[in-house]
C-alpha cells in the first residue's frame, strides 16, 4: 500500500473479488464446478507467457494432488477451496508487479507445524521435478 492508499493493482484485485462474490451470490452459492474451472483456466490463459506456463503447471499439480479441492477464482487468481474456503492459491508475478509468483496457503490449509510454518512460497518457471513433488506434497497435506 502506498502513501496515498491502495495501488491500482490492489484496487483492481478488490473489484475482481467483488465481482466474484456477486456472481456466487447470484448463483445461490451453488456454482457449476465445470463452469468455474473453465473460468479459472480462462483467467490462466490471459496471463503473460511465463506466468501462464507456471500457473498451468501449478493448476495441474494442485488438481492432481488434491482433486477434492474445488478450483475457483479468488481476487482474480486461481485458487482451490474446501467447503467454499480457499485452502491454497496461485498469484502470478504480473498481478502486483512482483519479482516472482506465489503459491500461498490460507488458514484452512492443514500445514501447522509447531509454533511457526510458512504459508507462502515464491515460485519461478524454473521448477524442477523435486520442486513439483514438494508442491504436490504440500497441497496433499494442506487439503487434509
Amino acid at each position: 500500500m502506498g502513501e496515498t492508499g491502495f495501488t491500482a493493482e490492489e484496487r483492481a484485485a478488490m473489484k475482481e473479488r467483488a465481482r466474484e462474490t456477486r456472481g456466487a451470490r447470484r448463483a445461490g452459492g451453488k456454482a457449476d464446478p465445470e463452469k468455474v474451472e473453465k473460468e479459472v483456466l480462462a483467467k490462466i490463459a490471459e496471463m503473460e507467457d511465463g506466468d501462464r506456463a507456471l500457473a498451468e503447471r501449478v493448476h495441474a499439480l494442485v488438481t492432481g494432488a488434491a482433486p477434492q479441492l474445488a478450483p475457483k477464482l479468488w481476487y482474480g487468481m486461481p485458487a482451490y477451496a474446501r467447503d467454499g474456503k480457499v485452502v491454497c492459491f496461485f498469484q502470478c508475478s504480473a498481478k502486483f508487479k512482483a519479482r516472482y509468483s506465489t503459491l500461498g496457503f490460507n488458514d484452512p490449509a492443514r500445514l501447522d507445524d509447531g509454533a511457526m510454518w510458512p504459508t507462502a512460497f515464491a515460485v519461478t518457471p524454473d521448477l524442477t521435478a523435486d520442486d513439483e513433488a514438494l508442491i504436490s506434497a504440500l497441497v496433499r497435506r494442506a487439503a487434509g
Side-chain angles (χ1 to χ4, degrees), residues 98-122:
R99 191 178 97 193
Y100 47 78
S101 296
T102 304
L103 174 63
F105 295 88
N106 284 342
D107 290 353
R110 297 179 177 143
L111 295 176
D112 302 35
D113 184 19
M116 188 172 98
W117 57 91
T119 59
F121 297 84

Side-chain angles (χ1 to χ4, degrees), residues 5-89:
F6 294 105
T7 66
E9 294 82 12
E10 290 167 332
R11 284 191 302 279
M14 288 185 284
K15 286 178 183 178
E16 283 186 276
R17 182 68 187 129
R19 276 192 298 274
E20 294 159 8
T21 302
R22 281 192 302 275
R25 273 197 308 258
R26 277 189 221 113
K30 298 186 193 290
D32 175 16
E34 288 180 18
K35 180 182 176 196
V36 174
E37 184 163 16
K38 285 180 183 178
E39 291 171 350
V40 170
L41 293 173
K43 188 59 83 168
I44 290 172
E46 293 173 5
M47 294 178 186
E48 296 175 6
D49 292 343
D51 283 334
R52 182 178 53 249
L54 184 54
E56 288 169 348
R57 286 170 74 192
V58 168
H59 179 77
L61 291 167
V62 172
T63 57
Q68 70 272 34
L69 295 181
K72 67 183 283 180
L73 289 175
W74 190 60
Y75 292 94
M77 290 284 101
Y80 306 87
R82 179 180 56 241
D83 301 326
K85 295 182 179 169
V86 172
V87 173
C88 61
F89 60 91

Side-chain angles (χ1 to χ4, degrees), residues 123-142:
V123 289
T124 68
D126 303 323
L127 289 177
T128 66
D130 287 343
D131 298 328
E132 291 181 354
L134 176 59
I135 289 171
S136 293
L138 285 168
V139 168
R140 272 192 298 278
R141 186 170 157 209

